[in-house]
Amino acid sequence: MTQVIRTSAELREKVATWKRSGMLVGVVPTMGALHDGHMSLVREARKQSDRVIVTIFVNPMQFNNKDDLAKYPRNEDHDLALLEAEGADVLFAPGVHEVYPDGFATVVSVSGVSEPLEGAFRPGHFEGVATVVSKLFGMTQAGRAFFGEKDWQQVQVVKRMVEDLNVPIRIIPCPTIREEDGLAMSSRNVRLTPEERALAPKLYAEMQAAAEAIRAGAPVAETLAAAKAAISAAGFGDWDYLELRTADGLRPMTELSEPARMLAAVHLGDVRLIDNIAV
Ligand code: AMP
């Protein structure tokens, strides 16, 4: 049975009883519209903790685009059924007012790693993420938190925040889960038209080919430029970025000199796709 909890007071009581019997609590923060990517985090949390809390909160503070917030898919009944099947102990789904009551005035802002890439194209996004994640860590009192590498920069930002603020939680990154054709699973994929959905895997395919070429010694800038051109020519919309960065710290890289990550954000129809791979 997955218990649905909507207030932090009730959650705190529940967690306190677990902790009194020495249990390790894991949390999986999400915005709902759950898919296999989310469920892989829940499975990992089950393996690595005694009790699992999945949070569903579509956090207005991290949306820099009102339309994206309004169109964000929501289906709590379906989500709950999936969580029941996976054996999550608690679904914590607070309302906006529970998270941001009147008078709320604090923002958690991580500089450095949150500034390029998503930070540059979605102003305020990572402040929203860092703030809500700090709150969710405080509300759940979890010892481990599970995040997807699908949002590589987000993992980096959260790790930095936890270290800087001495939050007593361990961040566990989990691999990106993909559709059979390679498209990274995302709640926003349901907004792709059938034509766009057929095109979408091209992003990952071209990224992989570019990564292979760079590993074989091809020049970074030229290889990325060619990959962007090929993806655009296939019918994608505007580019936000396709870059090679250091895997840790996301510093710019002009040649492959340490573990690297290739990160992309590109528009396809109404949807902004992001992806990233190891190089
Ligand atoms: P979201 O609901 O999009 O905020 O995502 C909640 C968590 O699930 C985040 O840690 C994401 O990185 C993770 N996640 C989303 N999609 C995937 C995926 N395809 N594979 C692995 N993790 C994912």
Side-chain angles (χ1 to χ4, degrees):
M1 238 336 241
T2 303
Q3 186 184 349
V4 180
I5 295 183
R6 303 209 183 267
T7 67
S8 57
E10 194 188 339
L11 183 66
R12 189 170 280 267
E13 250 175 61
K14 183 92 206 167
V15 172
T17 61
W18 290 341
K19 289 202 162 182
R20 273 196 294 275
S21 40
M23 287 175 173
L24 174 61
V25 179
V27 64
V28 180
T30 82
M31 299 200 298
L34 301 180
H35 50 65
D36 248 19
H38 299 112
M39 300 323 287
S40 74
L41 305 184
V42 178
R43 280 192 282 277
E44 195 55 35
R46 296 247 315 150
K47 271 190 223 154
Q48 295 199 33
S49 3
D50 301 307
R51 291 289 181 268
V52 173
I53 302 170
V54 176
T55 71
I56 294 184
F57 180 61
V58 182
N59 175 32
M61 194 177 169
Q62 76 187 66
F63 281 80
N64 55 311
N65 179 329
K66 279 202 166 60
D67 194 43
D68 188 29
L69 175 60
K71 285 187 185 161
Y72 202 83
R74 299 167 199 245
N75 192 343
E76 194 182 291
D77 292 343
H78 179 251
D79 290 345
L80 181 59
L82 290 178
L83 294 176
E84 295 263 2
E86 210 57 68
D89 298 286
V90 164
L91 163 58
F92 179 55
V96 173
H97 205 74
E98 179 70 14
V99 178
Y100 300 115
D102 293 340
F104 187 84
T106 301
V107 172
V108 179
S109 178
V110 179
S111 60
V113 75
S114 70
E115 288 167 26
L117 308 169
E118 292 299 286
F121 286 92
R122 302 185 66 190
H125 170 66
F126 284 125
E127 286 176 352
V129 169
T131 303
V132 82
V133 166
S134 300
K135 287 181 64 80
L136 291 170
F137 289 175
M139 291 190 275
T140 60
Q141 301 282 305
R144 286 194 185 162
F146 299 80
F147 286 87
E149 291 180 351
K150 158 92 196 311
D151 300 280
W152 185 268
Q153 191 176 9
Q154 171 170 279
V155 173
Q156 301 272 316
V157 170
V158 171
K159 277 184 169 172
R160 185 77 254 163
M161 181 270 288
V162 159
E163 203 173 313
D164 289 354
L165 299 182
N166 304 89
V167 185
I169 195 165
R170 197 194 301 174
I171 305 304
I172 316 284
C174 305
T176 301
I177 304 299
R178 299 178 180 280
E179 305 286 357
E180 271 182 18
D181 58 15
L183 176 64
M185 290 188 182
S186 164
S187 304
R188 290 183 179 88
N189 290 350
V190 299
R191 283 163 37 196
L192 296 167
T193 65
E195 294 74 26
E196 290 159 358
R197 175 63 190 82
L199 201 55
K202 178 89 176 161
L203 173 61
Y204 177 60
E206 289 291 341
M207 286 173 73
Q208 272 189 313
E212 194 55 46
I214 290 169
R215 278 193 288 266
V220 172
E222 287 82 348
T223 305
L224 293 178
K228 275 175 107 162
I231 293 164
S232 295
F236 281 69
D238 290 342
W239 273 98
D240 282 356
Y241 57 81
L242 176 65
E243 290 191 28
L244 191 71
R245 296 256 170 176
T246 60
D248 258 324
L250 297 176
R251 290 180 309 282
M253 273 182 124
T254 49
E255 57 185 51
L256 197 56
S257 48
E258 60 179 290
R261 209 81 195 171
M262 187 185 295
L263 304 103
V266 63
H267 293 264
L268 179 55
D270 195 26
V271 181
R272 182 174 176 277
L273 297 179
I274 62 168
D275 205 342
N276 70 86
I277 58 173
V279 178

